[in-house]
Amino acid sequence: MSTNTLRFGRRSFLLGMFLAPFAVLTRVVHAARKTVKSTVKDATAALVKEDGMMQKALKYSAEAKKAKGRSNPSSVCSNCMQYSAAIGEDGKDILVAGKPVGSCMLFDAGKGFVPANGWCMSWYAAPAA
Protein backbone atom coordinates (compact mmCIF):
# COMPACT_ATOMS: atom_id res chain seq x y z
CA MET A 1 0.00 0.00 0.00
CA SER A 2 1.35 3.43 -0.87
CA THR A 3 1.72 6.26 1.58
CA ASN A 4 -0.68 8.45 -0.44
CA THR A 5 -3.47 5.92 0.02
CA LEU A 6 -2.96 5.89 3.76
CA ARG A 7 -2.89 9.68 3.98
CA PHE A 8 -6.04 10.04 1.93
CA GLY A 9 -7.79 7.42 4.02
CA ARG A 10 -6.72 9.08 7.24
CA ARG A 11 -7.76 12.51 5.96
CA SER A 12 -11.14 11.23 4.86
CA PHE A 13 -11.66 9.52 8.19
CA LEU A 14 -10.69 12.61 10.20
CA LEU A 15 -12.78 14.88 8.01
CA GLY A 16 -15.75 12.55 8.41
CA MET A 17 -15.27 12.48 12.18
CA PHE A 18 -15.18 16.28 12.17
CA LEU A 19 -18.25 16.78 9.95
CA ALA A 20 -20.51 14.02 11.30
CA PRO A 21 -21.50 15.93 14.46
CA PHE A 22 -22.50 18.92 12.34
CA ALA A 23 -24.83 16.76 10.25
CA VAL A 24 -26.53 15.49 13.41
CA LEU A 25 -26.62 18.97 14.92
CA THR A 26 -28.29 20.36 11.79
CA ARG A 27 -31.13 17.82 12.13
CA VAL A 28 -31.53 18.60 15.84
CA VAL A 29 -31.59 22.37 15.25
CA HIS A 30 -34.13 21.97 12.44
CA ALA A 31 -36.38 19.85 14.64
CA ALA A 32 -36.01 22.30 17.53
CA ARG A 33 -36.97 25.33 15.47
CA LYS A 34 -40.17 23.82 14.11
CA THR A 35 -42.05 25.44 16.99
CA VAL A 36 -41.89 28.95 18.34
CA LYS A 37 -43.33 30.15 21.64
CA SER A 38 -45.67 33.10 21.46
CA THR A 39 -48.97 34.44 22.71
CA VAL A 40 -52.31 34.87 20.94
CA LYS A 41 -51.94 38.65 21.29
CA ASP A 42 -48.47 38.72 19.68
CA ALA A 43 -49.44 36.29 16.91
CA THR A 44 -52.54 38.30 16.08
CA ALA A 45 -50.56 41.55 15.95
CA ALA A 46 -47.91 40.01 13.67
CA LEU A 47 -50.33 38.21 11.34
CA VAL A 48 -49.17 38.67 7.75
CA LYS A 49 -51.63 40.48 5.48
CA GLU A 50 -52.01 39.52 1.82
CA ASP A 51 -51.68 43.07 0.47
CA GLY A 52 -47.99 43.75 1.18
CA MET A 53 -45.40 44.05 -1.59
CA MET A 54 -43.47 40.96 -0.48
CA GLN A 55 -46.68 38.97 -0.08
CA LYS A 56 -47.84 39.88 -3.58
CA ALA A 57 -44.44 38.97 -5.04
CA LEU A 58 -44.65 35.53 -3.36
CA LYS A 59 -48.32 35.09 -4.32
CA TYR A 60 -49.09 34.61 -0.62
CA SER A 61 -52.61 33.58 0.32
CA ALA A 62 -53.93 33.06 3.85
CA GLU A 63 -56.03 30.22 2.41
CA ALA A 64 -54.17 27.73 0.24
CA LYS A 65 -57.35 26.71 -1.58
CA LYS A 66 -57.71 30.25 -2.93
CA ALA A 67 -54.03 30.65 -3.91
CA LYS A 68 -53.24 31.40 -7.52
CA GLY A 69 -50.42 29.32 -8.97
CA ARG A 70 -50.60 26.49 -6.44
CA SER A 71 -50.14 23.20 -8.30
CA ASN A 72 -49.57 20.78 -5.41
CA PRO A 73 -52.85 20.31 -3.49
CA SER A 74 -51.01 19.12 -0.36
CA SER A 75 -48.76 22.20 -0.12
CA VAL A 76 -49.71 24.42 2.81
CA CYS A 77 -47.70 26.54 5.21
CA SER A 78 -47.80 23.93 7.98
CA ASN A 79 -45.77 21.42 5.93
CA CYS A 80 -43.31 23.96 4.52
CA MET A 81 -39.67 24.16 5.57
CA GLN A 82 -40.01 27.90 6.34
CA TYR A 83 -42.88 27.38 8.83
CA SER A 84 -42.63 26.94 12.59
CA ALA A 85 -45.82 26.21 14.53
CA ALA A 86 -46.68 28.75 17.23
CA ILE A 87 -47.30 27.30 20.64
CA GLY A 88 -48.34 28.99 23.85
CA GLU A 89 -46.91 28.62 27.32
CA ASP A 90 -49.29 25.69 27.86
CA GLY A 91 -47.68 23.82 24.93
CA LYS A 92 -50.82 23.97 22.78
CA ASP A 93 -51.14 25.47 19.30
CA ILE A 94 -51.93 29.16 19.16
CA LEU A 95 -55.18 29.87 17.36
CA VAL A 96 -56.02 33.17 15.68
CA ALA A 97 -59.63 33.43 14.51
CA GLY A 98 -59.98 29.72 15.31
CA LYS A 99 -57.10 28.64 13.03
CA PRO A 100 -53.60 27.47 14.03
CA VAL A 101 -50.80 29.86 13.09
CA GLY A 102 -47.04 29.80 12.98
CA SER A 103 -44.09 31.96 12.10
CA CYS A 104 -42.67 32.07 8.59
CA MET A 105 -38.99 32.77 7.97
CA LEU A 106 -39.84 34.67 4.78
CA PHE A 107 -41.93 37.35 6.46
CA ASP A 108 -40.31 39.81 8.84
CA ALA A 109 -37.36 37.48 9.49
CA GLY A 110 -39.55 34.84 11.11
CA LYS A 111 -41.52 37.29 13.23
CA GLY A 112 -44.46 37.33 10.81
CA PHE A 113 -47.23 34.83 11.56
CA VAL A 114 -49.20 32.97 8.89
CA PRO A 115 -52.13 30.55 9.10
CA ALA A 116 -51.17 26.88 8.96
CA ASN A 117 -53.42 26.46 5.92
CA GLY A 118 -51.87 29.38 3.99
CA TRP A 119 -49.57 29.13 0.94
CA CYS A 120 -47.00 31.05 -1.09
CA MET A 121 -44.91 30.22 -4.14
CA SER A 122 -41.81 29.70 -1.97
CA TRP A 123 -43.33 26.59 -0.42
CA TYR A 124 -40.72 23.85 0.02
CA ALA A 125 -41.55 20.53 1.65
CA ALA A 126 -40.23 20.19 5.17
CA PRO A 127 -38.16 17.06 5.78
CA ALA A 128 -39.95 14.26 7.58
CA ALA A 129 -39.33 14.42 11.33
Side-chain angles (χ1 to χ4, degrees), residues 55-93:
Q55 292 84 323
K56 286 180 182 179
L58 293 174
K59 298 180 182 178
Y60 168 72
S61 177
E63 266 189 71
K65 290 179 182 177
K66 295 180 181 177
K68 294 179 179 140
R70 179 176 169 240
S71 59
N72 180 350
S74 67
S75 63
V76 291
C77 290
S78 63
N79 61 15
C80 176
M81 182 178 269
Q82 310 294 337
Y83 180 87
S84 297
I87 57 170
E89 292 297 322
D90 58 359
K92 295 182 181 178
D93 288 340

PDB file of all heavy atoms in Angstrom, residues 55-93:
ATOM      1  N   GLN A  55     -45.637  39.982  -0.004  1.00  0.00           N
ATOM      2  CA  GLN A  55     -46.679  38.969  -0.079  1.00  0.00           C
ATOM      3  C   GLN A  55     -47.194  38.816  -1.508  1.00  0.00           C
ATOM      4  O   GLN A  55     -47.416  37.702  -1.981  1.00  0.00           O
ATOM      5  CB  GLN A  55     -47.847  39.322   0.859  1.00  0.00           C
ATOM      6  CG  GLN A  55     -47.497  39.246   2.329  1.00  0.00           C
ATOM      7  CD  GLN A  55     -46.840  40.507   2.863  1.00  0.00           C
ATOM      8  OE1 GLN A  55     -46.053  41.149   2.207  1.00  0.00           O
ATOM      9  NE2 GLN A  55     -47.179  40.860   4.100  1.00  0.00           N
ATOM     10  N   LYS A  56     -47.386  39.927  -2.190  1.00  0.00           N
ATOM     11  CA  LYS A  56     -47.837  39.876  -3.585  1.00  0.00           C
ATOM     12  C   LYS A  56     -46.788  39.229  -4.473  1.00  0.00           C
ATOM     13  O   LYS A  56     -47.114  38.443  -5.362  1.00  0.00           O
ATOM     14  CB  LYS A  56     -48.189  41.266  -4.080  1.00  0.00           C
ATOM     15  CG  LYS A  56     -49.481  41.788  -3.514  1.00  0.00           C
ATOM     16  CD  LYS A  56     -49.791  43.177  -4.038  1.00  0.00           C
ATOM     17  CE  LYS A  56     -51.076  43.694  -3.419  1.00  0.00           C
ATOM     18  NZ  LYS A  56     -51.382  45.051  -3.884  1.00  0.00           N
ATOM     19  N   ALA A  57     -45.514  39.545  -4.233  1.00  0.00           N
ATOM     20  CA  ALA A  57     -44.437  38.965  -5.036  1.00  0.00           C
ATOM     21  C   ALA A  57     -44.369  37.450  -4.858  1.00  0.00           C
ATOM     22  O   ALA A  57     -44.047  36.722  -5.797  1.00  0.00           O
ATOM     23  CB  ALA A  57     -43.099  39.598  -4.667  1.00  0.00           C
ATOM     24  N   LEU A  58     -44.683  36.969  -3.649  1.00  0.00           N
ATOM     25  CA  LEU A  58     -44.647  35.531  -3.356  1.00  0.00           C
ATOM     26  C   LEU A  58     -45.996  34.852  -3.599  1.00  0.00           C
ATOM     27  O   LEU A  58     -46.141  33.670  -3.324  1.00  0.00           O
ATOM     28  CB  LEU A  58     -44.214  35.297  -1.907  1.00  0.00           C
ATOM     29  CG  LEU A  58     -42.781  35.681  -1.581  1.00  0.00           C
ATOM     30  CD1 LEU A  58     -42.522  35.544  -0.087  1.00  0.00           C
ATOM     31  CD2 LEU A  58     -41.807  34.835  -2.368  1.00  0.00           C
ATOM     32  N   LYS A  59     -46.972  35.608  -4.079  1.00  0.00           N
ATOM     33  CA  LYS A  59     -48.324  35.086  -4.321  1.00  0.00           C
ATOM     34  C   LYS A  59     -48.917  34.472  -3.055  1.00  0.00           C
ATOM     35  O   LYS A  59     -49.593  33.446  -3.086  1.00  0.00           O
ATOM     36  CB  LYS A  59     -48.334  34.082  -5.471  1.00  0.00           C
ATOM     37  CG  LYS A  59     -47.903  34.676  -6.789  1.00  0.00           C
ATOM     38  CD  LYS A  59     -47.935  33.642  -7.885  1.00  0.00           C
ATOM     39  CE  LYS A  59     -47.452  34.250  -9.191  1.00  0.00           C
ATOM     40  NZ  LYS A  59     -47.410  33.275 -10.269  1.00  0.00           N
ATOM     41  N   TYR A  60     -48.626  35.107  -1.915  1.00  0.00           N
ATOM     42  CA  TYR A  60     -49.090  34.615  -0.619  1.00  0.00           C
ATOM     43  C   TYR A  60     -50.609  34.683  -0.511  1.00  0.00           C
ATOM     44  O   TYR A  60     -51.243  35.652  -0.920  1.00  0.00           O
ATOM     45  CB  TYR A  60     -48.458  35.430   0.520  1.00  0.00           C
ATOM     46  CG  TYR A  60     -49.087  35.188   1.862  1.00  0.00           C
ATOM     47  CD1 TYR A  60     -48.880  34.002   2.546  1.00  0.00           C
ATOM     48  CD2 TYR A  60     -49.919  36.136   2.441  1.00  0.00           C
ATOM     49  CE1 TYR A  60     -49.473  33.764   3.770  1.00  0.00           C
ATOM     50  CE2 TYR A  60     -50.517  35.918   3.663  1.00  0.00           C
ATOM     51  CZ  TYR A  60     -50.292  34.728   4.329  1.00  0.00           C
ATOM     52  OH  TYR A  60     -50.886  34.507   5.542  1.00  0.00           O
ATOM     53  N   SER A  61     -51.175  33.626   0.036  1.00  0.00           N
ATOM     54  CA  SER A  61     -52.606  33.577   0.319  1.00  0.00           C
ATOM     55  C   SER A  61     -52.796  32.969   1.707  1.00  0.00           C
ATOM     56  O   SER A  61     -52.157  31.966   2.034  1.00  0.00           O
ATOM     57  CB  SER A  61     -53.331  32.724  -0.718  1.00  0.00           C
ATOM     58  OG  SER A  61     -54.698  32.619  -0.391  1.00  0.00           O
ATOM     59  N   ALA A  62     -53.650  33.580   2.508  1.00  0.00           N
ATOM     60  CA  ALA A  62     -53.930  33.064   3.848  1.00  0.00           C
ATOM     61  C   ALA A  62     -54.713  31.759   3.788  1.00  0.00           C
ATOM     62  O   ALA A  62     -54.758  31.021   4.759  1.00  0.00           O
ATOM     63  CB  ALA A  62     -54.689  34.101   4.664  1.00  0.00           C
ATOM     64  N   GLU A  63     -55.327  31.482   2.632  1.00  0.00           N
ATOM     65  CA  GLU A  63     -56.032  30.217   2.414  1.00  0.00           C
ATOM     66  C   GLU A  63     -55.469  29.554   1.169  1.00  0.00           C
ATOM     67  O   GLU A  63     -55.631  30.058   0.063  1.00  0.00           O
ATOM     68  CB  GLU A  63     -57.529  30.451   2.228  1.00  0.00           C
ATOM     69  CG  GLU A  63     -58.307  30.311   3.500  1.00  0.00           C
ATOM     70  CD  GLU A  63     -59.796  30.325   3.227  1.00  0.00           C
ATOM     71  OE1 GLU A  63     -60.304  29.332   2.659  1.00  0.00           O
ATOM     72  OE2 GLU A  63     -60.426  31.319   3.598  1.00  0.00           O
ATOM     73  N   ALA A  64     -54.824  28.423   1.354  1.00  0.00           N
ATOM     74  CA  ALA A  64     -54.171  27.735   0.243  1.00  0.00           C
ATOM     75  C   ALA A  64     -55.140  27.402  -0.880  1.00  0.00           C
ATOM     76  O   ALA A  64     -54.773  27.460  -2.057  1.00  0.00           O
ATOM     77  CB  ALA A  64     -53.485  26.466   0.745  1.00  0.00           C
ATOM     78  N   LYS A  65     -56.366  27.081  -0.550  1.00  0.00           N
ATOM     79  CA  LYS A  65     -57.350  26.709  -1.576  1.00  0.00           C
ATOM     80  C   LYS A  65     -57.639  27.850  -2.544  1.00  0.00           C
ATOM     81  O   LYS A  65     -58.023  27.619  -3.673  1.00  0.00           O
ATOM     82  CB  LYS A  65     -58.655  26.233  -0.927  1.00  0.00           C
ATOM     83  CG  LYS A  65     -58.507  24.900  -0.229  1.00  0.00           C
ATOM     84  CD  LYS A  65     -59.800  24.464   0.412  1.00  0.00           C
ATOM     85  CE  LYS A  65     -59.586  23.142   1.139  1.00  0.00           C
ATOM     86  NZ  LYS A  65     -60.785  22.705   1.837  1.00  0.00           N
ATOM     87  N   LYS A  66     -57.448  29.088  -2.090  1.00  0.00           N
ATOM     88  CA  LYS A  66     -57.712  30.253  -2.928  1.00  0.00           C
ATOM     89  C   LYS A  66     -56.452  30.776  -3.622  1.00  0.00           C
ATOM     90  O   LYS A  66     -56.531  31.741  -4.375  1.00  0.00           O
ATOM     91  CB  LYS A  66     -58.313  31.373  -2.089  1.00  0.00           C
ATOM     92  CG  LYS A  66     -59.676  31.038  -1.521  1.00  0.00           C
ATOM     93  CD  LYS A  66     -60.202  32.189  -0.708  1.00  0.00           C
ATOM     94  CE  LYS A  66     -61.562  31.871  -0.113  1.00  0.00           C
ATOM     95  NZ  LYS A  66     -62.057  32.968   0.734  1.00  0.00           N
ATOM     96  N   ALA A  67     -55.304  30.164  -3.368  1.00  0.00           N
ATOM     97  CA  ALA A  67     -54.033  30.654  -3.909  1.00  0.00           C
ATOM     98  C   ALA A  67     -53.937  30.453  -5.412  1.00  0.00           C
ATOM     99  O   ALA A  67     -54.292  29.400  -5.931  1.00  0.00           O
ATOM    100  CB  ALA A  67     -52.875  29.939  -3.216  1.00  0.00           C
ATOM    101  N   LYS A  68     -53.453  31.479  -6.081  1.00  0.00           N
ATOM    102  CA  LYS A  68     -53.241  31.399  -7.525  1.00  0.00           C
ATOM    103  C   LYS A  68     -51.835  30.857  -7.773  1.00  0.00           C
ATOM    104  O   LYS A  68     -50.879  31.315  -7.170  1.00  0.00           O
ATOM    105  CB  LYS A  68     -53.402  32.774  -8.158  1.00  0.00           C
ATOM    106  CG  LYS A  68     -54.806  33.293  -8.066  1.00  0.00           C
ATOM    107  CD  LYS A  68     -54.940  34.665  -8.676  1.00  0.00           C
ATOM    108  CE  LYS A  68     -56.389  35.109  -8.560  1.00  0.00           C
ATOM    109  NZ  LYS A  68     -56.535  36.473  -8.215  1.00  0.00           N
ATOM    110  N   GLY A  69     -51.729  29.878  -8.638  1.00  0.00           N
ATOM    111  CA  GLY A  69     -50.418  29.319  -8.969  1.00  0.00           C
ATOM    112  C   GLY A  69     -50.039  28.099  -8.155  1.00  0.00           C
ATOM    113  O   GLY A  69     -48.961  27.546  -8.324  1.00  0.00           O
ATOM    114  N   ARG A  70     -50.880  27.662  -7.275  1.00  0.00           N
ATOM    115  CA  ARG A  70     -50.604  26.488  -6.436  1.00  0.00           C
ATOM    116  C   ARG A  70     -50.945  25.225  -7.228  1.00  0.00           C
ATOM    117  O   ARG A  70     -52.080  24.985  -7.588  1.00  0.00           O
ATOM    118  CB  ARG A  70     -51.449  26.564  -5.169  1.00  0.00           C
ATOM    119  CG  ARG A  70     -51.279  25.410  -4.236  1.00  0.00           C
ATOM    120  CD  ARG A  70     -52.100  25.670  -2.975  1.00  0.00           C
ATOM    121  NE  ARG A  70     -52.181  24.502  -2.146  1.00  0.00           N
ATOM    122  CZ  ARG A  70     -53.323  23.905  -1.814  1.00  0.00           C
ATOM    123  NH1 ARG A  70     -54.466  24.389  -2.220  1.00  0.00           N
ATOM    124  NH2 ARG A  70     -53.310  22.838  -1.057  1.00  0.00           N
ATOM    125  N   SER A  71     -49.922  24.408  -7.499  1.00  0.00           N
ATOM    126  CA  SER A  71     -50.143  23.201  -8.300  1.00  0.00           C
ATOM    127  C   SER A  71     -50.212  21.924  -7.458  1.00  0.00           C
ATOM    128  O   SER A  71     -50.811  20.950  -7.859  1.00  0.00           O
ATOM    129  CB  SER A  71     -49.049  23.060  -9.359  1.00  0.00           C
ATOM    130  OG  SER A  71     -47.791  22.982  -8.729  1.00  0.00           O
ATOM    131  N   ASN A  72     -49.589  21.951  -6.286  1.00  0.00           N
ATOM    132  CA  ASN A  72     -49.574  20.782  -5.405  1.00  0.00           C
ATOM    133  C   ASN A  72     -50.682  20.942  -4.361  1.00  0.00           C
ATOM    134  O   ASN A  72     -50.582  21.795  -3.477  1.00  0.00           O
ATOM    135  CB  ASN A  72     -48.208  20.659  -4.737  1.00  0.00           C
ATOM    136  CG  ASN A  72     -48.096  19.471  -3.815  1.00  0.00           C
ATOM    137  OD1 ASN A  72     -49.075  18.806  -3.505  1.00  0.00           O
ATOM    138  ND2 ASN A  72     -46.892  19.220  -3.348  1.00  0.00           N
ATOM    139  N   PRO A  73     -51.736  20.139  -4.422  1.00  0.00           N
ATOM    140  CA  PRO A  73     -52.846  20.310  -3.486  1.00  0.00           C
ATOM    141  C   PRO A  73     -52.489  20.052  -2.016  1.00  0.00           C
ATOM    142  O   PRO A  73     -53.197  20.487  -1.124  1.00  0.00           O
ATOM    143  CB  PRO A  73     -53.897  19.308  -3.968  1.00  0.00           C
ATOM    144  CG  PRO A  73     -53.200  18.382  -4.884  1.00  0.00           C
ATOM    145  CD  PRO A  73     -51.963  19.060  -5.374  1.00  0.00           C
ATOM    146  N   SER A  74     -51.386  19.389  -1.760  1.00  0.00           N
ATOM    147  CA  SER A  74     -51.014  19.124  -0.365  1.00  0.00           C
ATOM    148  C   SER A  74     -50.072  20.191   0.199  1.00  0.00           C
ATOM    149  O   SER A  74     -49.696  20.126   1.362  1.00  0.00           O
ATOM    150  CB  SER A  74     -50.371  17.743  -0.243  1.00  0.00           C
ATOM    151  OG  SER A  74     -49.134  17.730  -0.918  1.00  0.00           O
ATOM    152  N   SER A  75     -49.684  21.168  -0.601  1.00  0.00           N
ATOM    153  CA  SER A  75     -48.756  22.197  -0.123  1.00  0.00           C
ATOM    154  C   SER A  75     -49.498  23.281   0.649  1.00  0.00           C
ATOM    155  O   SER A  75     -50.350  23.979   0.113  1.00  0.00           O
ATOM    156  CB  SER A  75     -47.974  22.793  -1.292  1.00  0.00           C
ATOM    157  OG  SER A  75     -48.832  23.435  -2.200  1.00  0.00           O
ATOM    158  N   VAL A  76     -49.178  23.381   1.931  1.00  0.00           N
ATOM    159  CA  VAL A  76     -49.708  24.419   2.813  1.00  0.00           C
ATOM    160  C   VAL A  76     -48.569  24.876   3.721  1.00  0.00           C
ATOM    161  O   VAL A  76     -47.555  24.194   3.853  1.00  0.00           O
ATOM    162  CB  VAL A  76     -50.910  23.925   3.661  1.00  0.00           C
ATOM    163  CG1 VAL A  76     -52.131  23.665   2.803  1.00  0.00           C
ATOM    164  CG2 VAL A  76     -50.550  22.699   4.461  1.00  0.00           C
ATOM    165  N   CYS A  77     -48.753  26.000   4.349  1.00  0.00           N
ATOM    166  CA  CYS A  77     -47.697  26.541   5.210  1.00  0.00           C
ATOM    167  C   CYS A  77     -47.230  25.544   6.271  1.00  0.00           C
ATOM    168  O   CYS A  77     -46.038  25.437   6.545  1.00  0.00           O
ATOM    169  CB  CYS A  77     -48.172  27.830   5.878  1.00  0.00           C
ATOM    170  SG  CYS A  77     -48.338  29.225   4.757  1.00  0.00           S
ATOM    171  N   SER A  78     -48.155  24.816   6.864  1.00  0.00           N
ATOM    172  CA  SER A  78     -47.798  23.932   7.982  1.00  0.00           C
ATOM    173  C   SER A  78     -46.838  22.805   7.598  1.00  0.00           C
ATOM    174  O   SER A  78     -46.169  22.256   8.468  1.00  0.00           O
ATOM    175  CB  SER A  78     -49.047  23.346   8.627  1.00  0.00           C
ATOM    176  OG  SER A  78     -49.740  22.537   7.696  1.00  0.00           O
ATOM    177  N   ASN A  79     -46.733  22.452   6.316  1.00  0.00           N
ATOM    178  CA  ASN A  79     -45.768  21.415   5.934  1.00  0.00           C
ATOM    179  C   ASN A  79     -44.639  21.978   5.078  1.00  0.00           C
ATOM    180  O   ASN A  79     -44.010  21.267   4.316  1.00  0.00           O
ATOM    181  CB  ASN A  79     -46.454  20.220   5.259  1.00  0.00           C
ATOM    182  CG  ASN A  79     -47.183  20.590   3.983  1.00  0.00           C
ATOM    183  OD1 ASN A  79     -46.997  21.651   3.421  1.00  0.00           O
ATOM    184  ND2 ASN A  79     -48.033  19.688   3.536  1.00  0.00           N
ATOM    185  N   CYS A  80     -44.388  23.278   5.231  1.00  0.00           N
ATOM    186  CA  CYS A  80     -43.306  23.965   4.524  1.00  0.00           C
ATOM    187  C   CYS A  80     -42.076  24.075   5.427  1.00  0.00           C
ATOM    188  O   CYS A  80     -42.198  24.191   6.653  1.00  0.00           O
ATOM    189  CB  CYS A  80     -43.768  25.366   4.110  1.00  0.00           C
ATOM    190  SG  CYS A  80     -42.489  26.355   3.315  1.00  0.00           S
ATOM    191  N   MET A  81     -40.916  24.057   4.821  1.00  0.00           N
ATOM    192  CA  MET A  81     -39.666  24.157   5.569  1.00  0.00           C
ATOM    193  C   MET A  81     -39.527  25.506   6.289  1.00  0.00           C
ATOM    194  O   MET A  81     -38.880  25.595   7.323  1.00  0.00           O
ATOM    195  CB  MET A  81     -38.484  23.958   4.629  1.00  0.00           C
ATOM    196  CG  MET A  81     -37.145  24.001   5.323  1.00  0.00           C
ATOM    197  SD  MET A  81     -35.805  23.692   4.186  1.00  0.00           S
ATOM    198  CE  MET A  81     -35.686  21.934   4.343  1.00  0.00           C
ATOM    199  N   GLN A  82     -40.140  26.553   5.764  1.00  0.00           N
ATOM    200  CA  GLN A  82     -40.012  27.898   6.340  1.00  0.00           C
ATOM    201  C   GLN A  82     -40.909  28.117   7.564  1.00  0.00           C
ATOM    202  O   GLN A  82     -40.754  29.094   8.274  1.00  0.00           O
ATOM    203  CB  GLN A  82     -40.385  28.953   5.284  1.00  0.00           C
ATOM    204  CG  GLN A  82     -39.717  28.802   3.951  1.00  0.00           C
ATOM    205  CD  GLN A  82     -38.212  29.010   4.009  1.00  0.00           C
ATOM    206  OE1 GLN A  82     -37.696  29.661   4.909  1.00  0.00           O
ATOM    207  NE2 GLN A  82     -37.507  28.439   3.065  1.00  0.00           N
ATOM    208  N   TYR A  83     -41.839  27.213   7.813  1.00  0.00           N
ATOM    209  CA  TYR A  83     -42.879  27.385   8.827  1.00  0.00           C
ATOM    210  C   TYR A  83     -42.484  26.760  10.164  1.00  0.00           C
ATOM    211  O   TYR A  83     -41.936  25.668  10.210  1.00  0.00           O
ATOM    212  CB  TYR A  83     -44.165  26.735   8.317  1.00  0.00           C
ATOM    213  CG  TYR A  83     -45.350  26.811   9.253  1.00  0.00           C
ATOM    214  CD1 TYR A  83     -46.190  27.907   9.233  1.00  0.00           C
ATOM    215  CD2 TYR A  83     -45.642  25.769  10.120  1.00  0.00           C
ATOM    216  CE1 TYR A  83     -47.305  27.974  10.060  1.00  0.00           C
ATOM    217  CE2 TYR A  83     -46.748  25.820  10.949  1.00  0.00           C
ATOM    218  CZ  TYR A  83     -47.573  26.930  10.919  1.00  0.00           C
ATOM    219  OH  TYR A  83     -48.664  26.985  11.733  1.00  0.00           O
ATOM    220  N   SER A  84     -42.789  27.463  11.228  1.00  0.00           N
ATOM    221  CA  SER A  84     -42.626  26.939  12.591  1.00  0.00           C
ATOM    222  C   SER A  84     -43.933  27.163  13.337  1.00  0.00           C
ATOM    223  O   SER A  84     -44.394  28.304  13.452  1.00  0.00           O
ATOM    224  CB  SER A  84     -41.491  27.645  13.328  1.00  0.00           C
ATOM    225  OG  SER A  84     -40.266  27.416  12.694  1.00  0.00           O
ATOM    226  N   ALA A  85     -44.532  26.109  13.832  1.00  0.00           N
ATOM    227  CA  ALA A  85     -45.817  26.210  14.531  1.00  0.00           C
ATOM    228  C   ALA A  85     -45.678  27.069  15.783  1.00  0.00           C
ATOM    229  O   ALA A  85     -44.689  26.977  16.501  1.00  0.00           O
ATOM    230  CB  ALA A  85     -46.316  24.825  14.906  1.00  0.00           C
ATOM    231  N   ALA A  86     -46.666  27.902  16.031  1.00  0.00           N
ATOM    232  CA  ALA A  86     -46.676  28.751  17.226  1.00  0.00           C
ATOM    233  C   ALA A  86     -47.375  28.009  18.349  1.00  0.00           C
ATOM    234  O   ALA A  86     -48.488  27.521  18.174  1.00  0.00           O
ATOM    235  CB  ALA A  86     -47.375  30.067  16.927  1.00  0.00           C
ATOM    236  N   ILE A  87     -46.707  27.941  19.477  1.00  0.00           N
ATOM    237  CA  ILE A  87     -47.301  27.299  20.643  1.00  0.00           C
ATOM    238  C   ILE A  87     -47.267  28.271  21.819  1.00  0.00           C
ATOM    239  O   ILE A  87     -46.380  29.108  21.927  1.00  0.00           O
ATOM    240  CB  ILE A  87     -46.587  25.979  21.024  1.00  0.00           C
ATOM    241  CG1 ILE A  87     -45.104  26.200  21.271  1.00  0.00           C
ATOM    242  CG2 ILE A  87     -46.789  24.925  19.955  1.00  0.00           C
ATOM    243  CD1 ILE A  87     -44.386  25.019  21.863  1.00  0.00           C
ATOM    244  N   GLY A  88     -48.258  28.139  22.674  1.00  0.00           N
ATOM    245  CA  GLY A  88     -48.343  28.990  23.852  1.00  0.00           C
ATOM    246  C   GLY A  88     -47.554  28.399  25.011  1.00  0.00           C
ATOM    247  O   GLY A  88     -46.929  27.346  24.893  1.00  0.00           O
ATOM    248  N   GLU A  89     -47.602  29.078  26.108  1.00  0.00           N
ATOM    249  CA  GLU A  89     -46.915  28.617  27.320  1.00  0.00           C
ATOM    250  C   GLU A  89     -47.433  27.264  27.787  1.00  0.00           C
ATOM    251  O   GLU A  89     -46.716  26.501  28.425  1.00  0.00           O
ATOM    252  CB  GLU A  89     -47.057  29.651  28.439  1.00  0.00           C
ATOM    253  CG  GLU A  89     -46.303  30.938  28.175  1.00  0.00           C
ATOM    254  CD  GLU A  89     -44.791  30.736  28.083  1.00  0.00           C
ATOM    255  OE1 GLU A  89     -44.237  29.921  28.847  1.00  0.00           O
ATOM    256  OE2 GLU A  89     -44.173  31.392  27.236  1.00  0.00           O
ATOM    257  N   ASP A  90     -48.686  26.965  27.456  1.00  0.00           N
ATOM    258  CA  ASP A  90     -49.286  25.689  27.858  1.00  0.00           C
ATOM    259  C   ASP A  90     -48.890  24.542  26.929  1.00  0.00           C
ATOM    260  O   ASP A  90     -49.276  23.396  27.141  1.00  0.00           O
ATOM    261  CB  ASP A  90     -50.806  25.807  27.914  1.00  0.00           C
ATOM    262  CG  ASP A  90     -51.427  26.237  26.587  1.00  0.00           C
ATOM    263  OD1 ASP A  90     -50.676  26.463  25.612  1.00  0.00           O
ATOM    264  OD2 ASP A  90     -52.660  26.368  26.540  1.00  0.00           O
ATOM    265  N   GLY A  91     -48.124  24.846  25.852  1.00  0.00           N
ATOM    266  CA  GLY A  91     -47.681  23.816  24.927  1.00  0.00           C
ATOM    267  C   GLY A  91     -48.680  23.497  23.833  1.00  0.00           C
ATOM    268  O   GLY A  91     -48.435  22.620  23.013  1.00  0.00           O
ATOM    269  N   LYS A  92     -49.793  24.204  23.806  1.00  0.00           N
ATOM    270  CA  LYS A  92     -50.818  23.973  22.779  1.00  0.00           C
ATOM    271  C   LYS A  92     -50.654  24.968  21.636  1.00  0.00           C
ATOM    272  O   LYS A  92     -50.104  26.058  21.813  1.00  0.00           O
ATOM    273  CB  LYS A  92     -52.217  24.102  23.389  1.00  0.00           C
ATOM    274  CG  LYS A  92     -52.511  23.038  24.413  1.00  0.00           C
ATOM    275  CD  LYS A  92     -53.908  23.181  24.958  1.00  0.00           C
ATOM    276  CE  LYS A  92     -54.178  22.103  26.008  1.00  0.00           C
ATOM    277  NZ  LYS A  92     -55.511  22.246  26.596  1.00  0.00           N
ATOM    278  N   ASP A  93     -51.190  24.591  20.463  1.00  0.00           N
ATOM    279  CA  ASP A  93     -51.141  25.467  19.303  1.00  0.00           C
ATOM    280  C   ASP A  93     -51.840  26.787  19.594  1.00  0.00           C
ATOM    281  O   ASP A  93     -52.881  26.814  20.248  1.00  0.00           O
ATOM    282  CB  ASP A  93     -51.821  24.825  18.092  1.00  0.00           C
ATOM    283  CG  ASP A  93     -51.018  23.686  17.502  1.00  0.00           C
ATOM    284  OD1 ASP A  93     -49.801  23.614  17.761  1.00  0.00           O
ATOM    285  OD2 ASP A  93     -51.604  22.868  16.776  1.00  0.00           O
TER     286      ASP A  93
END
